[in-house]
Amino acid sequence: MMAESDTDNPDVRRLSDWSEGRLESLAQEYGTPLYVTDLGRVRENYRRFSAAFPNADVHYAAKANTSRAVLRTLEAEDSSVECASAGEAERAVAAGFEGERVHYTAVNPPAEDLDRAVELADEHPGLTITVGAADTIDRLAERGYDGRLCLRVNPGVGAGHHEKVRTGADAKFGVPYKRAAELLESAANDFDVVGIHAHAGSGISGDDLSNHRELVSRMGELARSLDIPLEFVDVGGGFGVPYRPDESPLDLDSVAAATRDALGNIDATLVVEPGRYLVADAGVLLTRINTVKETPEITVLGVDAGMTTLARPALYDAYHHVRNLSSDAPEIETTIAGPICESSDTFGEHTVADPERDDLLAIGNAGAYGYEMASQYNSRPRPAVVVVDGDRSAVAHRRETLSDVLATEQEVNWR
Ligand SMILES: Cc1ncc(COP(=O)(O)O)c(C=O)c1O
Ligand SMILES: N[C@@H](CCCC[NH3+])C(=O)O
């Protein structure tokens, strides 16, 4: 392990905390581009997080990373799981989560998705369905569902690292705060109403906590105003992690204390839904340089990963730290670009140690919303994912081939 300034801070794992030799040999063995997920780090993150929220239930937001190995790791830690689709809920039960620990929270669920969620609730007693619209309540009743129901509320305050991930004040998500009490009380006639839910957005930093506090306080107020007893009040996830080397990790204890203070006294269990916090720094993306091009403006590094491998920089201008594992020579200014025919296919500008063709680069904090958001655009097969735990390593997702890309294509025989 290499040293870095705050390498002894357990709240953060920097790119330089990964063993270079280990990453080199994984790239040799499995090829690139390659996602590496350290299950031991997922475990550490979960333990630290749940210790900071001792009386709360932690529901892992599976959308951040649905690899079965990750889900199994968190299941074994006693986490519950928040699932954005029936597919995620299927993955959760396949990984061993019992119904009581599965929360289905799909937004505007398509008919087949809702059908499957209702079946899953039947097959796995205790599963909770969260709805964010009166229509979804009606659609559940039409399907004969009368089980555990949670209402997603639009708290009117959002937070997060980019406008595209601030859900809390976006009308798409949840029922308007002012309509929530009335809807809950009428739903209680036909369903087992167990909770209320809200989520501010994703990637909330220490400077951005006031909206999270406001959301929590509104949810506390709503819970106290209801005549129906609630099992839980879910205040969502969104806990950010440092992506830049000079950023500090969240002070979880003060976030937890602020959350409890803002919630006030309620006769229900607090639920928190971290996704990114548990998995982001447990993952790196390995990619090889195939082109080093000097231009009058800057040195361009062409690599074998692109926006189809890791979409966050193209989608949100997100920064991911990059390190050349093949060189310790002095650093130069570069721009790193993938193989996709789009100007947005870039990982941005980075200082990289004397880059040469075939050097191996590691891209940090790739464990959350990395492989999950990969695509096959430009007919590029998705990369492989390898999980490590101590000395062990195994393929969690094999590398796709062109046959996988073509697998759904049908001949259209029009003349
Ligand atoms: C309902 C819900 N809960 C939890 C999360 C987890 O967010 P994060 O990965 O930022 O913790 C999300 C995603 O933003 C979400 O939509
Ligand atoms: N995909 C986003 C997070 C959105 C979370 C889902 N509501 C990101 O990579 O930052």
Side-chain angles (χ1 to χ4, degrees):
M1 299 281 172
M2 303 224 0
E4 199 171 64
S5 52
D6 58 0
T7 199
D8 53 353
N9 181 348
D11 292 4
V12 58
R13 181 191 263 189
R14 308 283 187 188
L15 205 39
S16 52
D17 295 326
W18 290 79
S19 156
E20 286 183 9
R22 182 88 188 275
L23 293 176
E24 289 272 9
S25 70
L26 291 169
Q28 286 287 345
E29 187 173 350
Y30 300 104
T32 58
L34 180 72
Y35 277 100
V36 179
T37 311
D38 183 347
L39 301 176
R41 181 62 184 166
V42 173
R43 223 174 271 125
E44 280 171 20
N45 287 341
Y46 179 84
R47 289 180 188 174
R48 194 174 60 257
F49 189 92
S50 56
F53 286 90
N55 297 316
D57 280 354
V58 178
H59 295 186
Y60 168 55
K63 59 181 81 70
N65 187 324
T66 54
S67 285
R68 190 175 302 168
V70 168
L71 293 174
R72 281 206 173 128
T73 301
L74 290 168
E75 193 282 324
E77 292 297 310
D78 245 12
S79 178
S80 291
V81 61
E82 183 261 317
C83 304
S85 67
E88 286 189 3
E90 298 267 15
R91 286 176 172 225
V93 295
F97 284 92
E98 288 177 346
E100 299 88 61
R101 292 203 273 152
V102 178
H103 290 247
Y104 167 86
T105 56
V107 180
N108 303 332
E112 301 72 29
D113 207 79
L114 204 55
D115 290 345
R116 186 63 193 130
V118 168
E119 278 169 17
L120 282 167
D122 199 36
E123 292 161 11
H124 301 275
L127 187 149
T128 302
I129 297 186
T130 296
V131 296
D135 270 337
T136 318
I137 300 180
D138 294 344
R139 293 167 71 212
L140 283 172
E142 285 160 18
R143 285 162 171 77
Y145 181 76
D146 60 2
R148 291 168 60 82
L149 191 88
C150 167
L151 187 73
R152 181 165 182 169
V153 179
N154 184 310
V157 277
H161 70 82
H162 189 275
E163 60 177 321
K164 290 189 177 157
V165 299
R166 289 181 204 131
T167 43
D170 179 339
K172 168 175 167 177
F173 298 93
V175 301
Y177 185 80
K178 290 210 162 116
R179 287 214 55 208
E182 170 203 335
L183 257 179
L184 279 158
E185 272 153 27
S186 84
N189 296 323
D190 302 312
F191 300 89
D192 179 14
V193 171
V194 289
I196 53 175
H197 172 284
H199 172 68
S202 192
I204 305 173
S205 67
D207 303 334
D208 193 16
L209 277 177
S210 58
N211 282 356
H212 166 76
R213 272 196 299 268
E214 181 58 27
L215 173 147
V216 176
S217 135
R218 290 182 192 186
M219 294 301 278
E221 212 169 292
L222 176 60
R224 285 187 292 276
S225 77
L226 296 172
D227 288 332
I228 344 164
L230 293 178
E231 222 173 75
F232 63 85
V233 174
D234 183 336
V235 299
F239 308 94
V241 299
Y243 279 84
R244 293 179 185 271
D246 57 355
E247 276 169 2
S248 306
L250 273 184
D251 176 354
L252 270 191
D253 290 333
S254 56
V255 174
T259 304
R260 277 192 304 270
D261 287 353
L263 191 62
N265 285 331
I266 53 162
D267 195 11
T269 303
L270 168 68
V271 169
V272 272
E273 287 178 346
R276 185 190 311 271
Y277 192 90
L278 302 186
V279 290
D281 74 358
V284 292
L285 171 61
L286 300 177
T287 182
R288 256 187 221 287
I289 300 176
N290 54 40
T291 305
V292 180
K293 183 165 62 179
E294 303 299 341
T295 75
E297 298 84 32
I298 197 159
T299 303
V300 179
L301 304 183
V303 297
D304 59 11
M307 63 189 285
T308 53
T309 328
L310 178 65
R312 302 190 70 257
L315 263 181
Y316 318 118
D317 284 326
Y319 179 88
H320 285 258
H321 199 51
V322 175
R323 181 181 172 94
N324 187 354
L325 301 180
S326 307
S327 172
D328 283 329
E331 300 190 317
I332 63 162
E333 292 297 319
T334 70
T335 181
I336 303 181
I340 305 303
C341 194
E342 292 265 352
S343 306
S344 55
D345 181 34
T346 163
F347 294 109
E349 297 194 356
H350 294 269
T351 50
V352 174
D354 191 27
E356 290 185 3
R357 182 140 46 96
D358 292 331
D359 280 0
L360 183 67
L361 302 183
I363 300 180
N365 274 341
Y369 307 108
Y371 185 74
E372 284 307 315
M373 295 173 81
S375 78
Q376 297 174 330
Y377 181 44
N378 277 194
S379 295
R380 300 258 169 224
R382 277 184 278 250
V385 179
V386 160
V387 289
V388 299
D389 201 356
D391 293 337
R392 293 180 297 180
S393 67
V395 175
H397 293 268
R398 69 160 170 79
R399 186 175 303 287
E400 284 184 350
T401 63
L402 190 58
S403 309
D404 294 312
V405 176
L406 300 177
T408 56
E409 179 122 22
Q410 307 279 315
E411 204 58 57
V412 178
N413 284 318
W414 287 340
R415 288 177 190 268

